[in-house]
Amino acid sequence: MRRHEPFSFHCQRCGRCCHHQAIQLSPYEILCLARHLGLDTGQFIARHTSNGGLFLRFTPQGACGFLTPEGCAAHAQRPLACRLYPLGRDLERPGGEAFEPLERHPACAALVGGQGRLQDYLDQQGAGRFLAALDYYLAVVERMHHILERRLPPGASLAAATRQASASLAAQAPRASDPWLDVDGWWGPGRAQADPWRAMQGHLAALRAWLAVLKAQ
């Protein structure tokens, strides 16, 4: 499904989609949620994520940690996966970006139809900045892989080379729990940008500078 195609989704806030999910987080999403809660990104990662910041933490009963009887406690800064639901984004389809329907809970109360365009739905969900942020970070990762692949000896593992490169990145940001995700950890106490978008831009600039050094080595 492309952005110009008909699509509409009217959520009834039943909360069923807020259970038993794996919500992967980008650095920008971590920034937005951390600022919403008055935390730095390291604190947010420690308290509200699993796998060291890669995924939003869910309760042992399978509910999102932000789900309350009144709804989502972080709705204003909810992650991109929540904004796109019930769709997923595929960047590897012929012709570029496409959106695919996800399997919904069998008792989902939402109304799905073809009123308006998919782009209208993305706009209503405020997905634009989150999609752009994700693409910025994907470009950095793709650039890193390109640099590493060009100098890999025959039979060498790109995954191992990536781990080694990430270790060198971590050495440049010793305050960060993870240099890719803990954006505030790059700068230290009192130096973090309050605005998530500006904080992200500073982080991206640091990553691109590191890539320039990596390429020159």
Side-chain angles (χ1 to χ4, degrees), residues 119-152:
Q119 182 63 59
D120 299 328
Y121 180 69
L122 298 178
D123 293 342
Q124 292 162 8
Q125 297 300 310
R129 275 201 167 192
F130 290 83
L131 288 165
L134 181 58
D135 288 346
Y136 288 144
Y137 281 104
L138 287 174
V140 169
V141 173
E142 288 172 359
R143 178 63 176 159
M144 177 185 67
H145 286 165
H146 177 71
I147 292 169
L148 295 175
E149 284 172 342
R150 291 185 64 183
R151 63 189 194 197
L152 273 181

Side-chain angles (χ1 to χ4, degrees), residues 6-10 111-118 121:
F7 179 78
S8 60
F9 181 81
H10 299 286
L111 305 176
V112 182
Q115 294 79 40
R117 300 172 304 150
L118 173 54
Y121 180 69

Side-chain angles (χ1 to χ4, degrees), residues 29 41 141:
E29 291 165 302
T41 53
V141 173

Side-chain angles (χ1 to χ4, degrees), residues 18 61 97 105 171 192:
C18 303
Q61 293 72 37
E97 175 195 71
H105 190 284

Side-chain angles (χ1 to χ4, degrees), residues 11 37 40 43 54 64 73 92 98 127 132 145 159 170 191 202 210 214:
C11 176
L37 297 174
D40 66 39
Q43 291 169 327
L54 287 176
C64 173
E92 298 183 356
H145 286 165
R191 296 183 58 200
W210 167 71
L214 185 66

Side-chain angles (χ1 to χ4, degrees), residues 18-21 47 50 56-66:
C18 303
H19 293 76
H20 305 293
Q21 303 287 348
R47 298 179 192 181
S50 60
L56 198 61
R57 183 175 294 168
F58 277 56
T59 70
Q61 293 72 37
C64 173
F66 291 117

